[in-house]
Amino acid sequence: MTAFAVDTGKVRLTKFYFCLGLLIIALLAGAVRAQTIYAGADKRPDSTHYALALQQIGNLDDDLALRGVDDRQGLPFGIRSDQHVKRLQLDLAYRRSPALIEQLSHLNVLLNGEVVSTISLSEPRHDEDGWNRVKADLPTQLLQPYNQLAIQLIAHYTLRCEDPVHPDLWADIGKQSRLIFDVEPLVLPDELGLLPSPFFDPRDVRRLNLPIVISGVTDARLEAAGVLASWFGALAGYRGAHFPVSTDKLPEHGNAVFIGRAAEGVAGMNLPEPVGPTVTIRPNPNDPTGKMLIVTGRNDEEIMSAAKGLALGAQTLSGATAQFNKLQVEPRQPYDAPNWLPTNRPVTLGELLPVDDLTRRGRAAPPISINLNLPPDLSNWRIKTVPIKLRYQQSTTSDDDEGALNVSVNHTHIARFPLADRMKTGQQWMSGDLSAIQRTVHVPLDKLGSLASMQFQFGYRVPPQEECRNSLLDSRRSAIDPESTIDLSGIPHHIAMPDLAAFSTSGFPFTRMADLSETIAIVPAQSGPSEYGALLTLLGRAGRVTGYPATGIKVKHGAEAADLVGKDILLIESGKPSPLLTQWADRLPQAERSDNHAAAVSGWKPGDIITRLSNLLGTRTHPSPTAVSARSSPAYFAGFESPVSSSRSVIVARGKDGQQLLSAVELLIDNEAQAQRVQGGLSIVYDNRVESVSKGRTYYVGNLGFYQTTLWFFGRYPLALIAVYLLGALLAGAVFYSILHARARQRLRIQDSDE
C-alpha cells in the first residue's frame, strides 16, 4: 500500500477559490436577473425618483402659517403599496419674522409624531423668490402606509418675559415645499382583493394615468371601457385621470387594463378561454413589476357584464380570477349622483364631513371647510337663497372675549355671529347648555354655483397679558354640530342652454343621470386611439363629478336619427366632419359646412309649448369681434339643442385631428384656469388657450312647473304679457257686449209684446 502525502494548505486554497468563483457567478446571475426585472421600472417616468409639493399633497390654496411661541401645522401623505421608499427628503421653503432670536428659535420637522430634524433659523438661504430653502433627510424606517408630516415653530423674540401671541412670532411654510421620493418597485401578488390598487392607489396624490388596451374594438367594448374609465375617474377624484388607449399592443411598463376576448388577444396576452363574464389579474408580460387587469368574456355582452360587475362590486372580489353571474343593476333617478348634494331633503353637515373635522381648537384655529357639489341647473328665478340651520357650540366665554363665528362661501363673507351675546343673538337648542346655539343662515344661491366651499371660522380676541405672568393657556374648543342642515329641497331644476361651463365643471347635461343612462356618445367611423382616449377621459371626468360609474352609457361608431331620440348626445369629432355633424352644421353656434352642402333645418318637434315660444321669441347672440372661427381653429367645444328631441342637448368635442382633439380634452383636466374659460355655446381651443364665443339660439332644460313657467315666461317677455292683456280685454269686451246686446234685445221684445 502506497501512502500519498496531501498538501492540506493547497486543498483548502483550491476550495476557497472554487467557492469564491461560485459566489461571483451567483452574484452576477442575480444582478442580471434584477436588471431584467427592474429594467422596465427604471425606464418608467417618475418610477424611481419624483417630488410632490405640499400644495399637491394637502390641496393647499395658501402657505402654511405658524404663529406664536409654539405652533405646528401638519399634512398627511401616503406611500404606494407597490413601491418601497429608499430615501425621502424634505425640500423646505420658509419665511420667518426678522425679530426672532436666532439662537432660541427653530423649526422642528416631525414624521408620525417623532422629531426627525431641527432646522436652525440663524443662517438665511434665500432663493430667487425670497424664500429660505433647506433640505432635510427623513428616516424611512418611520414610514407607514399613511403618514403625518408636521412642521413645528419654536419662536422667541425677547430674552425677557414675552407675549406668547406677539405679532413678531411668525413663520410661513411655502406651499411649494416638496417631498422628494427615491423609490423602487415592489412585486405585488395577483390578488383582486387589493383593488383598486395598484391600478389606482388612494395613497398617491398624483394624477392617475392608466393605459387601457381594447382588443377588437366594438361599440360594446367601448362601453365597457367607458364604465371602467368613469369608475377609475370617480376613485381618482380631485387628482384627475387620463386613459391612453391602445388597440394592438400592451404598454411597455407599469399597470394597464385589458378589454377583449381571449381568442383575440393582443401580442403577449395568452388568455385561457373564459366560461362567462370574467375579471382576472396577472403580471404585465412586458414588465414583471406591473399588473394587467383583464376584463373578458365569450362575447361582448359578457365583457360588458364583467366591466359592470368590476365597477360595482370590486370590494367583494378575491383571488386572481373572478367570474360574475347574471348582474342586475338598479336604475338610477335624476340628480341622485353620490357626489351631488341631494335636492329632495335637508342634508346634515355630518353627512358631508366627519365629526372630528367639524371641531377646532384654539383661539385662532383654521376655518372648518365643507366642499359642496350641486347640480348646475338649480334655478334662482324665484328662490334666491338656500337656508342653513346652523348649530354651533364653543367653550364658555365672557363678554370680553369678543368671539365671533364668520360664515363664508367661496371665501366671500356671508354672515357674522357674535359668540359672547348668546341669549340675545342665538336660540338655545340644547337644554342646560348655553354654549349651544342655533341660527339660520340664508346663503345666496348664485354664490354657491355647482362647485362651492363653505367656511366656518371661529375667532376670539386674545386678552391682554401682564408681563412675567403665567403663559396664556389656549383651551378654546369650537364646533359645528353635525346635525346642522342645508336644504335644497323645493328649488326647481331649470337652466338656459347651451352652457358649456356646466359641461366643463359638472359634465352637465350628461351627469343628470349618474349612470349616464340618457347619454349616447358618437365617435367617428374611422376612430383611433386618440379619439377613444378623448372619449374615455371625458367619461372619467364625468365619474369624478358623479362618483358613480357610467353603467348606462351607449357608444356608437356613427348613428342614425332613430338611435338619438330622447338622448343627450356627446359627439366626438376629428378630421373630416362626420355625416351627422355635416347634417347639423346650421345648428352649430358657428356653422361648419361642407363646401358643396347646405344643411336643411329640421322642423319643429313636439315639446313644451311655452319653451318653444321662448325659443321663437329668443334672440341670437353674436360673437365678439375678436372671435376666431371654429372652422379655422385646431379644436373646439360647442353645444346646441338636439335636432332630434326637444330640450335635449348636443355637445361637440372636435379637433382637426385626433391628437389635437385629445389635447383639447386633456386641457380640461390639467389646466383649471383654462377649463373655467369654457363657457357659452362655443369655446375655441388653440395654443393651450381657450376663447369662448356665445352664439346660437337659447333653449331651456328642466321644469319649473306650469304656474312658475307661466310667470317666468311673461316675466321674460313682457310684450307677450301685454298681448295677453289686450287679448283678454278684447275677449272681456266681446263677452260684455254679447251680454248687453242680449239684454237689449230681450228688453225690446218685452216692449213689443206689451204694445
Side-chain angles (χ1 to χ4, degrees):
M1 183 174 181
T2 305
F4 294 93
V6 179
D7 190 341
T8 57
K10 290 184 178 181
V11 172
R12 290 174 181 172
L13 187 61
T14 302
K15 290 182 177 180
F16 171 76
Y17 284 126
F18 178 75
C19 294
L20 181 62
L22 291 178
L23 179 61
I24 292 174
I25 293 173
L27 290 175
L28 290 175
V32 171
R33 181 175 181 272
Q35 184 177 4
T36 302
I37 292 177
Y38 294 108
D42 291 338
K43 296 177 183 177
R44 289 169 57 185
D46 297 337
S47 63
T48 59
H49 184 84
Y50 62 90
L52 296 177
L54 298 190
Q55 179 182 15
Q56 186 178 6
I57 295 174
N59 198 21
L60 302 177
D61 294 325
D62 301 309
D63 301 319
L64 296 177
L66 302 174
R67 301 294 183 264
V69 294
D70 185 353
D71 191 18
R72 72 173 64 183
Q73 294 279 2
L75 293 173
F77 71 96
I79 305 298
R80 286 186 60 94
S81 59
D82 58 353
Q83 289 180 349
H84 169 68
V85 180
K86 297 189 296 183
R87 185 184 182 191
L88 179 60
Q89 194 175 47
L90 174 63
D91 179 14
L92 187 67
Y94 70 91
R95 288 173 176 161
R96 51 96 167 180
S97 169
L100 297 182
I101 299 177
E102 298 175 351
Q103 293 78 7
L104 300 179
S105 304
H106 58 271
L107 293 172
N108 287 328
V109 180
L110 295 90
L111 180 60
N112 295 327
E114 298 286 340
V115 177
V116 296
S117 181
T118 298
I119 299 172
S120 172
L121 303 181
S122 59
E123 298 181 6
R125 308 169 183 85
H126 297 291
D127 62 7
E128 296 178 355
D129 297 327
W131 290 89
N132 299 314
R133 303 301 293 250
V134 64
K135 290 186 178 181
D137 285 319
L138 306 182
T140 58
Q141 63 269 22
L142 294 180
L143 290 176
Q144 302 172 6
Y146 292 94
N147 305 276
Q148 185 76 16
L149 174 70
I151 309 296
Q152 180 187 31
L153 171 66
I154 303 297
H156 299 281
Y157 68 95
T158 180
L159 296 176
R160 302 176 57 194
C161 301
E162 60 185 357
D163 181 358
V165 291
H166 194 277
D168 283 339
L169 298 173
W170 65 267
D172 291 332
I173 306 300
K175 59 185 178 182
Q176 71 272 26
S177 302
R178 304 180 302 162
L179 282 176
I180 303 173
F181 294 83
D182 187 5
V183 302
E184 60 184 4
L186 293 177
V187 179
L188 297 179
D190 297 338
E191 175 55 59
L192 292 171
L194 298 177
L195 288 175
S197 295
F199 307 96
F200 164 73
D201 197 318
R203 308 172 195 170
D204 193 347
V205 298
R206 294 174 295 174
R207 185 190 70 188
L208 175 64
N209 193 71
L210 181 61
I212 295 182
V213 182
I214 308 175
S215 173
V217 179
T218 63
D219 292 345
R221 295 181 193 184
L222 271 180
E223 292 171 3
V227 171
L228 296 181
S230 59
W231 176 53
F232 280 111
L235 293 173
Y238 67 90
R239 303 167 182 83
H242 287 262
F243 302 98
V245 173
S246 174
T247 59
D248 55 3
K249 62 179 180 179
L250 302 179
E252 293 295 327
H253 311 289
N255 308 307
V257 176
F258 175 86
I259 299 173
R261 289 182 56 197
E264 303 168 348
V266 177
M269 292 298 294
N270 299 317
L271 303 176
E273 188 66 30
V275 295
T278 303
V279 173
T280 186
I281 186 171
R282 61 169 53 188
N284 183 345
N286 297 328
D287 178 10
T289 65
K291 296 294 180 183
M292 297 295 301
L293 182 61
I294 301 166
V295 180
T296 186
R298 292 169 295 187
N299 50 50
D300 285 353
E301 182 180 356
E302 290 188 349
I303 292 175
M304 185 62 175
S305 295
K308 290 181 179 180
L310 174 61
L312 297 176
Q315 66 276 9
T316 65
L317 304 181
S318 62
T321 301
Q323 294 181 349
F324 298 92
N325 296 321
K326 187 175 181 181
L327 183 68
Q328 292 184 347
V329 180
E330 292 293 330
R332 307 293 299 190
Q333 299 299 319
Y335 306 105
D336 70 347
N339 283 354
W340 280 2
L341 205 65
T343 59
N344 57 353
R345 62 176 177 86
V347 180
T348 64
L349 299 188
E351 298 178 56
L352 307 177
L353 209 63
V355 175
D356 291 344
D357 292 343
L358 293 171
T359 303
R360 288 292 183 265
R361 297 182 178 184
R363 293 178 178 269
I368 298 170
S369 295
I370 301 178
N371 294 324
L372 304 175
N373 294 334
L374 281 66
D377 62 343
L378 294 177
S379 174
N380 65 346
W381 179 63
R382 299 280 288 184
I383 301 176
K384 299 296 185 182
T385 62
V386 175
I388 299 178
K389 292 184 178 179
L390 186 63
R391 296 178 175 181
Y392 57 93
Q393 51 189 336
Q394 78 285 342
S395 303
T396 303
T397 63
S398 64
D399 292 341
D400 295 334
D401 274 353
E402 298 181 3
L405 170 61
N406 290 287
V407 181
S408 303
V409 173
N410 296 328
H411 302 286
T412 299
H413 179 74
I414 299 297
R416 182 180 186 274
F417 302 121
L419 299 177
D421 193 9
R422 293 184 294 275
M423 298 305 296
K424 294 181 180 179
T425 63
Q427 297 178 355
Q428 181 179 349
W429 62 273
M430 184 180 294
S431 176
D433 186 358
L434 296 181
S435 68
I437 305 169
Q438 175 175 298
R439 298 297 301 265
T440 299
V441 183
H442 294 279
V443 178
L445 183 56
D446 57 358
K447 296 291 185 183
L448 289 173
S450 57
L451 300 175
S453 175
M454 294 190 63
Q455 296 87 34
F456 301 95
Q457 175 75 66
F458 289 93
Y460 303 90
R461 185 180 68 88
V462 178
Q465 299 291 310
E466 297 182 10
E467 289 190 359
C468 299
R469 292 285 185 177
N470 293 333
S471 61
L472 178 66
L473 179 62
D474 194 355
S475 59
R476 294 292 173 192
R477 299 293 184 271
S478 310
I480 300 295
D481 192 276
E483 294 302 315
S484 303
T485 61
I486 179 172
D487 190 1
L488 298 178
S489 58
I491 301 179
H493 296 273
H494 190 254
I495 186 174
M497 299 287 281
D499 186 354
L500 290 177
F503 165 72
S504 174
T505 59
S506 301
F508 191 84
F510 310 117
T511 51
R512 174 179 170 272
M513 302 295 293
D515 59 357
L516 273 61
S517 56
E518 295 183 0
T519 296
I520 182 170
I522 303 174
V523 296
Q526 303 299 324
S527 295
S530 295
E531 289 81 3
Y532 298 144
L535 171 63
L536 297 187
T537 297
L538 288 174
L539 293 180
R541 186 171 180 85
R544 169 187 174 180
V545 170
T546 63
Y548 192 83
T551 55
I553 184 70
K554 295 297 181 184
V555 180
K556 296 285 186 181
H557 284 80
E560 301 295 333
D563 300 326
L564 311 178
V565 176
K567 297 285 188 179
D568 292 307
I569 303 166
L570 175 59
L571 197 56
I572 304 295
E573 291 276 333
S574 67
K576 183 180 179 181
S578 67
L580 197 59
L581 184 61
T582 303
Q583 179 183 351
W584 292 346
D586 62 317
R587 299 278 182 162
L588 283 168
Q590 198 169 23
E592 180 172 305
R593 301 174 183 267
S594 300
D595 294 337
N596 57 355
H597 178 80
V601 179
S602 300
W604 290 100
K605 300 293 186 296
D608 184 80
I609 296 177
I610 294 180
T611 300
R612 282 297 170 186
L613 286 174
S614 300
N615 293 342
L616 184 62
L617 295 175
T619 58
R620 292 181 179 270
T621 57
H622 299 282
S624 62
T626 60
V628 180
S629 69
R631 186 170 185 176
S632 63
S633 64
Y636 66 82
F637 297 95
F640 54 91
E641 186 176 20
S642 171
V644 180
S645 301
S646 62
S647 298
R648 290 290 183 175
S649 300
V650 178
I651 300 294
V652 181
R654 173 168 170 74
K656 280 192 172 181
D657 55 46
Q659 186 55 49
Q660 290 180 333
L661 167 67
L662 183 59
S663 297
V665 170
E666 290 181 342
L667 189 66
L668 297 181
I669 310 297
D670 298 333
N671 194 323
E672 194 67 29
Q674 292 300 319
Q676 292 177 358
R677 294 171 60 89
V678 179
Q679 300 175 3
L682 176 66
S683 291
I684 298 170
V685 182
Y686 57 97
D687 296 333
N688 289 327
R689 294 188 299 113
V690 175
E691 181 174 349
S692 294
V693 179
S694 294
K695 181 182 179 182
R697 188 177 297 276
T698 301
Y699 63 100
Y700 294 88
V701 173
N703 184 20
L704 292 172
F706 179 78
Y707 177 70
Q708 295 284 358
T709 301
T710 304
L711 294 180
W712 171 85
F713 176 79
F714 288 126
R716 184 173 177 84
Y717 303 108
L719 291 179
L721 180 61
I722 294 174
V724 170
Y725 282 153
L726 292 176
L727 180 61
L730 290 175
L731 291 176
V735 170
F736 282 119
Y737 174 79
S738 299
I739 294 174
L740 294 176
H741 183 66
R743 293 184 63 181
R745 292 179 60 184
Q746 183 179 9
R747 186 172 61 253
L748 291 175
R749 284 198 299 269
I750 293 174
Q751 291 177 355
D752 292 341
S753 62
D754 291 342
E755 294 177 356

